[in-house]
Amino acid sequence: MNDRRPDARRRQLLRGAGALGMLAAGRALAAPVGGTASLGLAELPDGTLAEQMLYALPGKVPLIKKTFRPPNFETPVQYFRSAITPNKAFFVRWHLAGIPQVAAAQWALKVGGDSAERELTLNLDQLKKDFKPAQVTAVCQCSGNRRGLFEPHVAGVEWGAGAMGNAVWRGARLKDVLAKAGVKAGALEVVLDGADHAPLEKTPDFVKSIPVDVALSDDTLIAYEMNGEPLPHWNGFPVRLVVPGWTGTYWVKQLATVKVVSQPEKNFWMSTAYRLPRGRFSTPTFKSQLYAANEPITAMVVNSLVTSLQSGQQVARGKPIEVRGVAWDGGSGIAKVEVSPDTGATWLPAKLGKDRGRYSFREFALSVPTRESGARVIMARATSTRGETQVNELIHNPAGYHHNVIQRIYVEVV
Amino acid sequence: MRALALVAAAAAIATAPAYAQEDKVVLKDAPGRDKAQQCIACHSLDYIQMNSRFLDKAGWTASVNKMINAFGAPIAKEDVDAIASYLAENYGKR
């Protein structure tokens, strides 16, 4: 398929064409920037397509601009053709517009809370030297990835399929840092706050909490390296929390404060935002945060993304259709990815790529022969080791989370 | 006070290179735009275009009220209807 590198003139042409409604729906060459119909998924709202464009933040390659301030930028699909997402292409998501440039030498992490035995303050050197480094390859995916594909549409950042990335994270284990502070018997949650802030004093600061057992997991890191380099400013320099398997909302950037507490954290970002209707998904339960009607989002649902095809493209008869992509879930690992060459009538097992650990993207590939001319609908569905499979129909929820609907990619064999 | 906050926000935008392109985001010229312009105190105006066109007047009213009640936006109660009307008319569900 064509490598559609951005250039400003082409972009203008495409956006202009979109505004005039001249695009032939589904045709690869006419796809607008970041459109999702070309992925064989529902399309973004018209206003989103008209507004978004490719734009490079300092230190980043051009990403799909959703909003400038706070900055919300999505990774174009081409970057998911490799299992590891480059730092320069990694998506950017902030809730509040006050994002300081944090100097490594000035940064300090404060650890405390009513369930900590003592208070600690660590600088970056201490975090790197006083704690044994640990490493994990893990997908960071926004809870609202693919929100823009919800039908009916729901308000929020109208993400396409690229509010995610997979990186090798290296840092200190949160459990080791907490052990140094001492965790009391009644500890319930660990509360995390970053250096970012809102322009208005009245706006709730972005503060998240995780259950104490998740905080004490071997895999939960205070990461200072991403793919062997310091974290980009836009991804939380100098350190961010890494909660493998759980959605990006818990991966607090520019981490500044960690508190071990005996009571549930009640701020807006825990009690109102990032919640799902209770019991609608089979993901882990955040027991200390359950309300009668809803519960916090926790781990990711199983999902996949075909990156080698564009819906509407033509393939020469006799030449196989190469179906390739990545699959991931909330940390049980990918058991299998199946590809259907015939709109779901039959399913064939794809070959899985290198196992980079249960939290990582798992690549998959399958060649589908094309003996006859005509239209084909190609589908791919991932299944996790805990037996969870992608859905045929969207599980709607008010805030637009956990979209894992199977792609239906239209290919014409000619 | 609100005017001051807006001036401060505008100044912050002007000096932040990463957000320079934000100046190019312009709301549609129609009655009520001046009141909707207040949204700029906390976020760029592309949030509005991005969320179009699928919210009706009730949906936009809920969004504006969320900004006031959950995020503390200093928008006068008497301005809510004018802003929601402007948004529904220019960025609302057809």
Side-chain angles (χ1 to χ4, degrees), chain A residues 58-262:
Chain A
K60 290 280 186 179
V61 298
L63 301 176
I64 302 163
K65 191 277 299 181
K66 295 286 171 176
T67 63
F68 282 115
R69 178 176 54 93
N72 287 298
F73 287 73
E74 177 177 324
T75 301
V77 166
Q78 70 209 46
Y79 292 102
F80 303 121
R81 289 185 199 142
S82 57
I84 301 295
T85 315
N87 290 3
K88 284 185 171 187
F90 214 90
F91 81 106
V92 174
R93 198 277 179 265
W94 294 83
H95 299 82
L96 307 173
I99 306 166
Q101 291 281 345
V102 180
Q106 260 74 59
W107 177 84
L109 181 68
K110 289 190 173 142
V111 185
D114 73 339
S115 286
E117 300 281 1
R118 64 195 76 81
E119 293 193 344
L120 298 178
T121 302
L122 301 169
N123 63 31
L124 197 53
D125 272 351
Q126 290 170 314
L127 189 71
K128 289 178 179 176
K129 288 175 185 159
D130 295 356
F131 304 91
K132 190 184 166 196
Q135 191 166 294
V136 65
T137 303
V139 174
C140 177
Q141 178 180 229
C142 177
S143 308
N145 193 25
R146 306 190 185 188
R147 174 183 292 119
L149 287 52
F150 270 58
E151 289 175 342
H153 290 302
V154 296
V157 177
E158 299 298 315
W159 296 111
M164 62 173 190
N166 188 41
V168 181
W169 309 93
R170 186 176 173 84
R173 286 193 174 96
L174 178 58
K175 66 179 262 193
D176 292 347
V177 171
L178 294 178
K180 195 159 182 183
V183 177
K184 291 184 186 171
L188 187 69
E189 296 182 1
V190 173
V191 182
L192 310 141
D193 188 10
D196 60 331
H197 57 86
L200 301 175
E201 242 176 79
K202 279 186 176 175
T203 306
D205 191 18
F206 185 68
V207 173
K208 297 296 294 187
S209 69
I210 54 176
V212 74
D213 61 312
V214 173
L216 296 177
S217 151
D218 279 351
D219 301 320
T220 302
L221 307 183
I222 302 174
Y224 42 74
E225 258 184 43
M226 178 176 171
N227 295 329
E229 294 170 4
L231 275 62
H233 164 69
W234 303 108
N235 299 105
F237 181 86
V239 306
R240 81 179 300 172
L241 195 73
V242 166
V243 192
W246 283 40
T247 66
T249 185
Y250 298 101
W251 297 43
V252 174
K253 299 182 286 297
Q254 300 187 324
L255 186 65
T257 310
V258 173
K259 285 183 186 161
V260 194
V261 298
S262 61

Side-chain angles (χ1 to χ4, degrees), chain A residues 45 47-48 50-51 55 65-72 97 99 153-158 199-200 202-204 234 268-269, chain B residues 5 13 17-22 25 40-44 46-47 49-55 63 66 70-74:
Chain A
T48 309
E51 180 58 41
Y55 183 82
K65 191 277 299 181
K66 295 286 171 176
T67 63
F68 282 115
R69 178 176 54 93
N72 287 298
I99 306 166
H153 290 302
V154 296
V157 177
E158 299 298 315
L200 301 175
K202 279 186 176 175
T203 306
W234 303 108
F268 169 81
W269 301 103
Chain B
I13 296 156
Y19 306 137
Q21 289 291 313
E22 183 186 331
V25 182
I40 207 168
C42 291
H43 62 80
S44 49
D46 43 11
Y47 270 84
Q49 166 82 346
M50 176 176 66
N51 278 287
S52 70
R53 308 185 58 125
F54 56 88
L55 295 173
S63 284
K66 180 182 176 186
F71 296 113

Side-chain angles (χ1 to χ4, degrees), chain A residues 19-38:
Chain A
L20 293 171
M22 285 169 63
L23 296 179
R27 293 309 297 250
L29 288 174
V33 170
T36 44
S38 61

Side-chain angles (χ1 to χ4, degrees), chain B residues 58-92:
Chain B
W60 276 118
T61 303
S63 284
V64 175
N65 281 327
K66 180 182 176 186
M67 297 303 149
I68 297 169
N69 299 327
F71 296 113
I75 294 170
K77 291 279 179 205
E78 58 267 28
D79 283 351
V80 171
D81 191 65
I83 294 171
S85 294
Y86 168 82
L87 294 172
E89 185 64 33
N90 296 285
Y91 298 93

